[in-house]
Every structure is written in structure tokens, then in C-alpha cells.
Amino acid sequence: MTWGFVGLGQMGLPMARRLAGVTDVVAYDRKGRDVQGLNTADTPEGLANCDVLLTCLPDGKVVESMLFGDARLAEALPVGATVIDTSTTSHGTALRLGKRLSELGIGFLDAPISGMQKRAEDGTLTMMVGGDPEMLGRHQDMLGSMASKILHVGPVGAGQLAKLVNQLLFDINMAALAEILPISAKLGLDPDQVAEIVNSGTGRSYASEFFVPNILRGVFDKGYPMQAAYKDLIAGAEVTAENAFPAPVLAAATATYQQALAEGLGAEDKGAMIKVFERMIGAEFRSRT
């Protein structure tokens, strides 16, 4: 069985390399990045006739473009093939992809992932899968080379909803840290001590554990760029608006995110949201050692 892999970015490249360790993989990257250790195709046509096509792309528009736009990958796949999309898109996009692929006789699993680049390299990602459980079962062993936790969460689209819940909580946590930590510095507390208290106390979260040590050192390039990650907040706004769900905390976190983007911080990671409040109150949360 041959797997096609589309998208060799920050997450996709280590995932493709792990997958290539357990099965035949032909990889394609639209940016033409030079990679070693992988069998690569120069054009999308090189992925034709793959039994399984796995995509790891920036957003839903790119996924749809690769499958049904100029690349027309979906039409090149044989009837009975499976597309597994590990990109972060949206519930609506997943439903649309599933329907269009089904009309071509191709199976579909929406399988977004959670975890930073290090976990992609270690093969310890969490994968939330929506779609036919029997289809997942046929490919679970191979997916296990990339993800140590694979959860079937419901029909097509459920994977994206589950991922969205996790991402929105992550964003809210970082927005809260961005607002509160500069206050501690402004009032004279030692940032190193505050960081130690937070990350060993009840204020601890994955966001604090990952971002706070970097913030102390003034490092803001270790996570996913805010501009690219903003799609999660757009998806959250769509879901809450369509269902008339009140989400005041999410709205406040979104406003912080938007302020950071308006100040030109989109190329930096989410930790850079702290710069918004540091500027506003005139205090930086940085190590004094």
C-alpha cells in the first residue's frame, strides 16, 4: 500500500518522515522545499494512484485547492482510495470535502492533530478523527507512527470540532497570561519567581509551560505564527454565532489576538500577545538574570 503525503511544513515534514519508516510514502510540497530522506514527487500528478492520501496543509482553502483546484488530486486517486486530512480547517470544510470525495468513490477522514513540532518529531501527537470507524481501523497502525493517541470522536467533521475545542482553550489561556503577567512585573514582582509559581501552581497550563519560559528570554518564534493560527478563532466565532452560543471569554481573548495582529505581531508565536499589554502598561515580563 502506497501513501501520498502533501505538505512538508513544520508539522508535516516530521510526520511524513515517521510514516515513511513504516510504509511506502510519496511526498509532495507545493513550495518545493528541499527535503532529505523522503521519496518526493515534483508535481501533484506524482501522487496519482496512491491508496491513501494524507494532507497536512495550512488551512481549508489550501486543502480544497489541492484536491479540487488546479492540482485535481482527488480525480487522480483510484476509486476506493482514502483521503486523511490532518490539517486544521473547519467543521463546514470537512463536511464539504467528505461529500465531494464520496461522490468520486473516495473515503474521507478528518483527522486534525494536536501537539507542537517536537511531538510530531517524536510521534506523540494526538489525532482526533471524524469519519467511518472501520475506515479508521484499516489505517490506524500507520497513523500510529505519527500519533500516540488516536481518538475516534464521531462522523466526518467531528474531528475538526474536537480540535477546535482544544485550540480555543489554548488561545484563551495564552490571552490570559498575556494580560496578567505584565501586571505582576509592573507591581514589582520578580518575573522568574512568578513564572515558577505559575508553572508549579494552580495557574499552570500547557500554554504557560510552553510559552512563559520563552517569554522570559524574549523568544517569540518557537510556536506556530499567530497569523496562521488565527483561523481557529475565526472558526470559533463561526460556530458560536451560527448556534447563538454566548462566548464572552472567547470574544475577549479574540480581541487580544486581533490587537496583536493589528500591531504587526502576526509572524511571531502566540506568546507575543504579551507585548500588547506590556506596551499598554509600560512593563516587560522578562528574566532579570
Side-chain angles (χ1 to χ4, degrees):
M1 179 176 288
T2 300
W3 286 57
F5 198 110
V6 181
L8 302 177
Q10 186 179 66
M11 300 295 288
L13 180 56
M15 290 170 62
R17 283 176 168 156
R18 291 197 63 87
L19 182 63
V22 296
T23 191
D24 292 330
V25 175
V26 179
Y28 170 74
D29 184 73
R30 65 194 180 100
K31 293 185 177 180
R33 282 171 278 215
D34 184 25
V35 297
Q36 296 181 347
L38 284 176
N39 179 20
T40 57
D42 294 330
T43 65
E45 288 77 12
L47 301 176
N49 300 317
C50 287
D51 303 292
V52 184
L53 179 67
L54 190 145
T55 54
C56 186
L57 296 165
D59 56 48
K61 290 182 179 179
V62 179
V63 176
E64 290 193 273
S65 175
M66 289 300 301
L67 290 175
F68 301 105
D70 292 340
R72 304 169 70 91
L73 272 175
E75 294 182 14
L77 295 174
V79 172
T82 302
V83 172
I84 302 175
D85 180 32
T86 67
S87 317
T88 299
T89 61
S90 69
H91 179 248
T93 298
L95 294 178
R96 191 163 57 249
L97 291 174
K99 182 176 185 298
R100 294 186 69 179
L101 289 167
S102 177
E103 291 170 352
L104 296 174
I106 297 170
F108 178 67
L109 298 173
D110 71 299
I113 50 176
S114 179
M116 295 290 192
Q117 182 179 353
K118 182 64 166 61
R119 289 180 60 191
E121 293 168 353
D122 295 342
T124 58
L125 295 168
T126 295
M127 183 176 288
M128 297 139 281
V129 184
D132 181 358
E134 293 185 4
M135 189 183 303
L136 170 60
R138 291 197 294 272
H139 305 299
Q140 185 149 351
D141 287 346
M142 299 303 173
L143 294 175
S145 67
M146 299 171 283
S148 58
K149 186 179 291 295
I150 301 173
L151 301 172
H152 181 258
V153 293
V156 167
Q160 292 296 340
L161 286 177
K163 169 71 180 289
L164 181 61
V165 168
N166 181 70
Q167 290 303 105
L168 294 181
L169 289 170
F170 186 36
D171 292 335
I172 289 169
N173 271 305
M174 187 56 241
L177 290 164
E179 179 179 328
I180 300 302
L181 293 181
I183 294 174
S184 71
K186 183 71 172 181
L187 295 177
L189 293 178
D190 179 83
D192 291 295
Q193 287 186 331
V194 171
E196 184 176 357
I197 291 165
V198 169
N199 279 334
S200 64
T202 54
R204 182 178 69 253
S205 66
Y206 182 81
S208 73
E209 290 176 339
F210 181 81
F211 286 115
V212 171
N214 292 329
I215 290 170
L216 286 172
R217 297 183 292 117
V219 175
F220 300 98
D221 62 354
K222 298 302 182 184
Y224 206 51
M226 274 192 284
Q227 187 63 60
Y230 183 58
K231 62 181 179 290
D232 296 326
L233 292 164
I234 295 173
E238 290 175 349
V239 168
T240 54
E242 288 171 359
N243 292 279
F245 295 148
V249 177
L250 174 59
T254 301
T256 294
Y257 211 117
Q258 290 167 334
Q259 181 66 33
L261 294 179
E263 293 189 13
L265 302 174
E268 300 185 81
D269 64 33
K270 295 176 185 180
M273 279 192 275
I274 198 169
K275 294 183 180 182
V276 172
F277 294 97
E278 290 178 335
R279 178 189 56 77
M280 290 172 65
I281 69 172
E284 285 192 340
F285 189 82
R286 300 289 185 276
S287 177
R288 295 174 183 172
T289 58

